[in-house]
Amino acid sequence: MGLVLPQFLPRQYTHILGGALFLYFGVKLIMESRAMESHKVSEELEEVEEELLQTKKQDGEATKDDDEETPDSSIQKSQQQQQQQQQQTSS
């Protein structure tokens, strides 16, 4: 509660007020997290991943060796594995 509020209220009240605010926002975050869909990736995250994959593909095409595994393919494999795990847990 900083330095100002304890000057106007007794220290005990500011500690209680701080604890109440902490409890309120903690419960609020828990309620919001339970309301979210558990296995759905946000659209924004998907867009960013697609953009990153596209830029890496463009950069990788200029320096790509056919024998080596590209970072794009390893990212795609890990995404596929995550999707499979999510499908298994939801079944």
Side-chain angles (χ1 to χ4, degrees):
M1 300 314 255
L3 300 172
V4 177
L5 196 56
Q7 292 177 359
F8 297 112
L9 294 173
R11 181 167 273 203
Q12 182 180 7
Y13 292 142
T14 57
H15 285 291
I16 292 171
L17 183 61
L21 287 173
F22 183 80
L23 181 65
Y24 169 75
F25 286 111
V27 169
K28 182 180 175 187
L29 284 173
I30 290 172
M31 298 300 286
E32 287 177 0
S33 69
R34 289 184 177 226
M36 294 174 59
E37 294 183 27
S38 60
H39 296 292
K40 185 175 181 182
V41 178
S42 70
E43 293 176 13
E44 297 165 357
L45 181 60
E46 289 176 357
E47 290 176 8
V48 170
E49 287 177 346
E50 287 177 14
E51 289 178 12
L52 288 173
L53 288 173
Q54 288 176 356
T55 57
K56 285 184 179 182
K57 282 183 181 178
Q58 291 172 355
D59 293 342
E61 287 177 359
T63 60
K64 181 180 173 183
D65 290 336
D66 292 336
D67 297 338
E68 294 182 12
E69 184 176 302
T70 63
D72 294 338
S73 62
S74 63
I75 291 172
Q76 290 173 347
K77 286 180 184 178
S78 66
Q79 288 175 345
Q80 289 173 351
Q81 289 173 349
Q82 288 175 352
Q83 289 174 352
Q84 289 173 351
Q85 288 175 351
Q86 289 176 353
Q87 289 173 352
Q88 290 173 354
T89 57
S90 65
S91 299

